[in-house]
Structure formats: structure tokens, C-alpha cells
Amino acid sequence: MTARTLEKAERLHSKKLIQELFTKGSSFYLHPFKVLVLSNPASSATDHHQILVSVSKRNFKRAKDRNTIKRRIKEAYRLQKANFKSSPSLLIAFLYIAKEVLPSSTIHPSLIQALKKVEQKHLSDSNAF
């Protein structure tokens, strides 16, 4: 049953790791997200992926809207993380770049596509070494 939850350890909150993700991580755009990915340098301590969800205060002035979007993204990830298989743990940031609040029915398929792209990209990078 724990496979379907989003635990605190799965959320990226370390300032050092966040800074490293934004400076060294690779990124791609997939509407409504900009996704940043980096192999977790502290992966010996964790055996799972860590995610960060960010919604711009510049685009959404009301905290209610930002929280709604973040909740929808986290829920979509929580439902799909069991299908997301990548052996070393990753740091993943989902930056919401759309200008309007999209429904869950739009966010879920986009997040599934983003996770597939992360998995493909990561597998090709692992095979290159």
C-alpha cells in the first residue's frame, strides 16, 4: 500500500540538491511543464526518486490557484510512480509554465508523457557510459 503514497522522503526539499538540480540538470519542455532531471548524487541514502513541484507566483497571484495546481501534479505523479521504472534514483523538478489553471484531465496525460520521456532519456544516458 505504501507504493501508492507520496512520502516526505520522496519530496525534494534539500536546498543543496535543488541548487544542484537547477545548475547541472538537463531539461525539456512538455506543455504545461518544464521538467528538470538529474541523477541523485546522494542515491546511496535513498532508493527512490525525489520530486519538486513549482508553480510561479508571477503567473498565479492567488495561493489557492498555486496550491490547486501543485496538488493536481502531485496526485498525477503519485498515481504513476509505480509505472515509472528507472534504476538509479533521480531528482525531478516539474515547473508549471502554463498561464491558466488546467484540469486534472489535462495534467495527468502530460505528466505521464513527461515521465516516459524522462525514463527514455535516462536509459539512453545510462547506456552511453
Side-chain angles (χ1 to χ4, degrees):
M1 182 123 168
T2 59
R4 298 291 275 192
T5 62
L6 187 63
E7 299 171 2
K8 182 174 181 175
E10 294 178 87
R11 287 182 257 145
L12 182 58
H13 53 275
S14 166
K15 287 184 180 183
K16 180 183 171 190
L17 291 177
I18 292 169
Q19 183 66 34
E20 197 167 336
L21 173 62
F22 277 86
T23 57
K24 296 180 183 175
S26 61
S27 67
F28 62 90
Y29 290 92
L30 185 67
H31 187 74
F33 303 114
K34 176 181 180 183
V35 182
L36 293 149
V37 183
L38 180 68
S39 291
N40 193 348
S43 61
S44 60
T46 61
D47 60 339
H48 48 266
H49 307 299
Q50 290 186 320
I51 67 162
L52 169 80
V53 177
S54 177
V55 180
S56 172
K57 189 174 183 179
R58 175 190 230 174
N59 296 333
F60 300 96
K61 303 295 184 205
R62 295 183 179 187
K64 174 187 171 258
D65 294 335
R66 292 192 304 274
N67 292 338
T68 299
I69 294 166
K70 287 190 275 189
R71 197 174 303 117
R72 289 176 182 173
I73 295 169
K74 287 177 191 173
E75 178 67 8
Y77 176 78
R78 184 188 71 82
L79 293 173
Q80 291 303 316
K81 73 176 185 171
N83 301 333
F84 180 55
K85 295 174 178 63
S86 188
S87 57
S89 64
L90 300 173
L91 302 176
I92 307 169
F94 295 102
L95 308 176
Y96 189 81
I97 57 172
K99 302 286 186 200
E100 65 280 343
V101 179
L102 295 175
S104 295
S105 59
T106 305
I107 291 175
H108 281 247
S110 296
L111 192 118
I112 292 168
Q113 282 184 312
L115 288 176
K116 285 180 182 176
K117 192 167 182 177
V118 165
E119 193 169 31
Q120 290 171 351
K121 199 172 190 181
H122 185 68
L123 287 174
S124 66
D125 289 347
S126 316
N127 294 337
F129 294 113

